[in-house]
Amino acid sequence: GAGVSQSPSNKVTEKGKDVELRCDPISGHTALYWYRQSLGQGLEFLIYFQGNSAPDKSGLPSDRFSAERTGGSVSTLTIQRTQQEDSAVYLCASSLESVGLTEAFFGQGTRLTVV
Amino acid sequence: DAKTTQPTSMDCAEGRAANLPCNHSTISGNEYVYWYRQIHSQGPQYIIHGLKNNETNEMASLIITEDRKSSTLILPHATLRDTAVYYCIVRASGTYKYIFGTGTRLKVLA
């Protein structure tokens, strides 16, 4: 595709359920980032992938959050036993650079609502 | 810890230059400053980045002070479509964690 694609665009889930959020980066982009943005707030770093490995997972807020990336392409962010405080827009970005946020492209995000 | 400080909001008249300041006094010597903007309900969009020297591209100019503790993003001729939240971003040294902060909400007025 022409840009970073995220799915679903919206997700409403019941508290305690697990959810999977998907990110399709731009083809050939080795770096991939996950961020989340709560209502009216700035972006909060979650995890960084270089290829299939995640050298920085420091932003994952709890062990309920995990992410993987396969084939150096698609990434999935999984939230287990969702809580209401998990409600936010989850954004994915990819870039050619192995380091740096130079010309990273963001997707439109997945809006997660936990009820 | 790496941190950026920006005004919460600014207004600018259409056609005038918009000057958006950012304080990043804790920046490490080899870390870049990045600027992104986020138009309502969209993902952030890259604008420009710099290390020490001033930079210019088709979207904006970036002025970085000599001590690198602050910078200013300049949109030379603001248009209504430049209304957005502008983020000044630095990396926490030794990590891949880019700190976005709360940004400046720029409103361009007709």
Side-chain angles (χ1 to χ4, degrees), chain A residues 71-94:
Chain A
S73 181
V74 172
S75 177
T76 302
L77 177 69
T78 301
I79 309 173
Q80 295 178 310
R81 305 180 301 282
T82 52
Q83 303 295 313
Q84 288 186 328
E85 61 261 30
D86 300 335
S87 296
V89 176
Y90 289 80
L91 291 158
C92 172
S94 71

Side-chain angles (χ1 to χ4, degrees), chain B residues 11-86:
Chain B
D11 290 344
C12 177
E14 188 178 20
R16 303 297 295 268
N19 295 278
L20 297 146
C22 177
N23 180 290
H24 35 78
S25 58
T26 59
I27 193 171
S28 298
N30 60 347
E31 295 293 345
Y32 284 79
V33 179
Y34 301 84
W35 284 82
Y36 276 69
R37 73 181 183 184
Q38 188 173 27
I39 296 170
H40 184 63
S41 298
Q42 298 182 19
Q45 175 192 22
Y46 169 80
I47 301 172
I48 200 167
H49 72 288
L51 183 63
K52 294 180 182 178
N53 300 320
N54 299 337
E55 302 288 344
T56 295
N57 64 19
E58 64 278 5
M59 290 183 70
S61 294
L62 177 61
I63 308 298
I64 303 173
T65 58
E66 193 169 342
D67 64 9
R68 299 204 338 113
K69 291 185 177 182
S70 65
S71 61
T72 300
L73 179 75
I74 301 171
L75 308 178
H77 305 287
T79 71
L80 297 178
R81 286 179 292 184
D82 292 323
T83 293
V85 178
Y86 287 77

Side-chain angles (χ1 to χ4, degrees), chain A residues 33 35 37 40-45 48 55-56 58-59 91 98-109 111, chain B residues 32 34 36 38 40-46 49 85 87 89 91-92 94-103 105:
Chain A
Y33 303 83
Y35 280 81
Q37 187 171 32
Q41 303 296 311
L43 279 72
E44 175 190 4
F45 170 82
Y48 164 73
D56 194 336
S58 63
L91 291 158
S98 59
V99 292
L101 207 62
T102 305
E103 296 189 49
F105 291 84
F106 279 81
Q108 297 281 52
R111 182 176 299 277
Chain B
Y32 284 79
Y34 301 84
Y36 276 69
Q38 188 173 27
H40 184 63
S41 298
Q42 298 182 19
Q45 175 192 22
Y46 169 80
H49 72 288
V85 178
Y87 294 100
I89 303 152
R91 185 172 70 163
T95 78
Y96 295 94
K97 182 177 181 178
Y98 289 87
I99 311 298
F100 271 70
T102 53
R105 185 174 299 277

